[in-house]
Amino acid sequence: MSSKKESFFGTVSFVIIVCLVCAALVSVSAVKLKPLQTANKLLDQQTKILEAAGLLELGTEKGIVATYSQFVTAKMIDLKTGEYIDGNPDMFDERRDARDETKSVKPENDIAGINRRANSAVVYLVTDGSGSVNTVILPIVGSGLWDLMYGFIGFEPDLNTVKSVVYSDHKETPGLGAEVMNPRWKALWPGKKMYDEQNNIAIQIVKGGAKKGDIHGVDALSGATLTSAGVERTLHFWLGEEGYGPFIKATRARGLN
């Protein structure tokens, strides 16, 4: 009987020790890998921003970090006022802030399906060789078919003419909604106008294809009606008053340079 008890307690003790050792190893690994994970996340973000700015090829040649540092300036803004605010853009996490009720709001007209919107955002000003801003990049997020989709809009200095729409993170169906990543679909965006002459949001994702010469229409994704609708609603939300509308208005008034 005593031998059986010793065997039982010995087994339990061994299992507990193994569990503690494994937990310690996982914790240490998580702590050690966190800086690397953060650096990789930032590098991926900078890569997408360079793509949105039309500088990805240059970044591939000269290095993503070096090219980003040379041409891109990230600034924090207050979405309610559209004004620049103090803050560290590299440490800003929109997803984290959107979950924090003290750092976010619930949109009155949540057409993008995001539930909550962070009070702040990061905008990216991209300069040419002379130092003048030639691209403004705005992050966007909105619901697709399965989950939220994250991306960037690249604007000409008029903050109306599109240079690019680049999605960076989504869970859409391969071959359907995931075609937001297809170069052929992304190539439809340059030159499109987000606003009409009365400054109303006019961009549309057109089922069956936009007519030739339609400066406000972009072809919908074939077989991905809900994803296409999600893209349109996302753009309408972020270009409106609860998104970047105040920033766009303020920036047009004060100028970029």
Side-chain angles (χ1 to χ4, degrees):
M1 187 71 175
S2 176
S3 176
K4 289 182 178 180
K5 285 184 178 181
E6 290 177 0
S7 176
F8 173 75
F9 285 117
T11 301
V12 171
S13 298
F14 176 76
V15 170
I16 291 174
I17 291 171
V18 170
C19 289
L20 291 173
V21 170
C22 290
L25 289 173
V26 170
S27 298
V28 170
S29 296
V31 171
K32 293 289 187 182
L33 290 174
K34 188 173 182 179
L36 180 60
Q37 292 170 339
T38 300
N40 286 338
K41 181 180 178 181
L42 184 59
L43 179 63
D44 181 65
Q45 178 176 284
Q46 292 175 346
T47 301
K48 291 299 182 182
I49 291 167
L50 290 184
E51 180 183 352
L55 295 173
L56 184 56
E57 185 175 345
L58 180 63
T60 302
E61 294 175 0
K62 296 189 174 182
I64 296 297
V65 175
T67 303
Y68 179 92
S69 299
Q70 180 180 355
F71 293 102
V72 182
T73 299
K75 292 188 174 185
M76 298 285 300
I77 64 168
D78 181 325
L79 284 169
K80 185 176 181 179
T81 65
E83 300 296 332
Y84 294 116
I85 57 175
D86 293 332
N88 185 345
D90 290 342
M91 298 303 294
F92 176 73
D93 188 332
E94 187 278 336
R95 304 185 198 198
R96 178 195 61 212
D97 280 17
R99 293 192 296 267
D100 187 337
E101 293 188 4
T102 67
K103 297 180 179 180
S104 64
V105 295
K106 193 172 181 64
E108 292 183 11
N109 186 21
D110 187 17
I111 57 175
I114 58 176
N115 189 34
R116 299 193 69 85
R117 187 220 70 194
N119 294 330
S120 306
V122 179
V123 299
Y124 302 89
L125 308 181
V126 186
T127 60
D128 56 22
S130 66
S132 297
V133 175
N134 63 5
T135 308
V136 180
I137 298 173
L138 308 178
I140 55 173
V141 54
S143 291
L145 173 60
W146 302 113
D147 205 344
L148 293 177
M149 302 191 298
Y150 295 82
F152 301 93
I153 311 172
F155 278 110
E156 299 281 358
D158 63 2
L159 288 170
N160 186 15
T161 307
V162 180
K163 293 189 75 170
S164 61
V165 170
V166 176
Y167 274 93
S168 58
D169 186 6
H170 67 83
K171 296 179 182 178
E172 299 304 281
T173 307
L176 296 173
E179 290 296 287
V180 293
M181 307 288 280
N182 191 316
R184 290 194 298 273
W185 189 73
K186 290 190 285 188
L188 300 176
W189 286 94
K192 298 296 181 179
K193 304 286 187 179
M194 291 291 188
Y195 300 93
D196 62 19
E197 293 181 356
Q198 289 73 44
N199 206 36
N200 297 312
I201 303 169
I203 194 70
Q204 291 183 321
I205 309 299
V206 184
K207 186 176 182 179
K211 294 181 180 179
K212 185 176 180 180
D214 183 357
I215 61 172
H216 302 301
V218 175
D219 296 358
L221 298 163
S222 179
T225 302
L226 294 179
T227 303
S228 297
V231 172
E232 181 175 300
R233 289 194 295 265
T234 296
L235 294 174
H236 278 244
F237 174 81
W238 285 104
L239 295 173
E241 287 303 307
E242 294 192 270
Y244 295 108
F247 168 76
I248 291 172
K249 183 178 180 180
T251 304
R252 286 174 176 169
R254 66 182 168 228
L256 281 169
N257 298 302

